[in-house]
Amino acid sequence: MREEKLQRVAGRVFVYPHDPDPDAIGAAVGVIADERGSVLIDAGNSPAHARDVRRAIEQAGLPAPRWLVYTHHHWDHTWGASVWDGVEVVAHASATAILAGEAERPWSHQYLRDQVGEDPKLGPSFRARALAVPEFSELRIVLPHTTFEDMLTLPTGVELRYVGGNHAPDSIVAVDPESDVMLLGDCYFPPPFHLRTEADTTDFAMVRRLLRERHAYYVDSHSAPRKGQSAATPKG
């Protein structure tokens, strides 16, 4: 358990930091606080991770989450969702079928070992999953309740926009106009390791396109928040 505190990015946007250990694959979780209910950006990589985030929100005195946005379907962004009772889960429309397929897989430590035996390139991801979820009986993959195709604005004014990309076909970004912060998920990263080729790299064209919007802060899921044009040097 990591006893992290929420860090304010700007205005009403906070972030529970990513895990600095790259082997842990612990994505950051965003919180956009609003008296009508906070908006979570991603769920945490496990029930334990999500409980840490929930505790940090309570300790900060922020409103309880009412919406949970998946920036994309990958496990380190969605496997904590079962902890967030009573929230409305929002994602791109293409995420539903992908997550439904993931929910049908017989997740267990033996299954992880068997899959790595068949495809060793799965090793980094599946070892991280084993560390994140000591007991798979508590894992439940939650499908989205609300989906959209291009854009969606939540009642708190948070804007969600589909961007796609090579990392995940369902990638979206979230913008809080009130705070002038864009939360990126992993949208411009290369594909996951087991799917990556030598030709795959950071999507710099997407980075440039998003930077042209000139938000005050840009926050991806595996780096510290970047201010303005400092986001031009993304994680590779």
Side-chain angles (χ1 to χ4, degrees):
M1 181 176 67
R2 292 192 301 135
E3 289 293 343
E4 295 281 358
K5 293 183 178 180
L6 291 178
Q7 299 176 359
R8 186 190 294 271
V9 178
R12 62 179 184 167
V13 178
F14 299 78
V15 65
Y16 188 90
H18 71 289
D19 194 322
D21 179 357
D23 293 333
I25 314 184
V29 175
V31 182
I32 305 174
D34 190 276
E35 61 184 10
R36 291 163 288 190
S38 294
V39 179
L40 278 176
I41 306 299
D42 288 324
N45 73 356
S46 64
H49 186 191
R51 285 191 290 268
D52 290 344
V53 177
R54 185 174 62 189
R55 187 179 303 109
I57 291 172
E58 293 169 351
Q59 291 174 347
L62 300 181
R66 184 175 169 191
W67 295 272
L68 166 56
V69 176
Y70 292 157
T71 60
H72 59 296
H73 70 276
H74 289 164
W75 74 278
D76 54 320
H77 300 260
T78 59
W79 274 19
S82 62
V83 167
W84 302 104
D85 295 329
V87 302
E88 180 179 349
V89 179
V90 184
H92 185 257
S94 62
T96 301
I98 300 171
L99 287 167
E102 290 292 289
E104 293 178 356
R105 298 174 73 173
W107 295 108
S108 69
H109 288 278
Q110 185 61 54
Y111 177 73
L112 296 177
R113 288 190 291 270
D114 292 343
Q115 291 294 296
V116 173
E118 294 179 13
D119 183 359
K121 291 185 71 173
L122 289 169
S125 171
F126 278 29
R127 282 191 291 270
R129 299 180 200 220
L131 290 171
V133 186
E135 179 50 67
F136 273 92
S137 63
E138 70 169 344
L139 177 67
R140 180 171 58 86
I141 295 175
V142 179
L143 303 188
H145 305 121
T146 299
T147 62
F148 66 98
E149 293 286 351
D150 297 314
M151 296 184 66
L152 178 69
T153 300
L154 298 178
T156 59
V158 175
E159 299 173 356
L160 309 178
R161 189 192 329 151
Y162 174 64
V163 293
N166 292 330
H167 184 73
D170 56 321
S171 281
I172 69 171
V173 296
V175 176
D176 181 32
E178 181 176 314
S179 308
D180 198 15
V181 175
M182 175 178 278
L183 297 109
L184 303 157
D186 298 348
C187 66
Y188 59 79
F189 291 1
F193 177 72
H194 68 286
L195 300 174
R196 198 175 303 173
T197 69
E198 292 183 359
D200 290 317
T201 184
T202 298
D203 189 342
F204 289 106
M206 181 183 289
V207 172
R208 289 190 290 270
R209 187 164 65 249
L210 297 174
L211 284 175
R212 282 197 291 269
E213 299 186 23
R214 297 186 178 277
H215 296 289
Y217 285 90
Y218 292 82
V219 184
D220 73 47
S221 298
H222 298 279
S223 310
R226 296 181 172 94
K227 186 175 182 180
Q229 292 301 312
S230 65
T233 307
K235 175 184 174 182

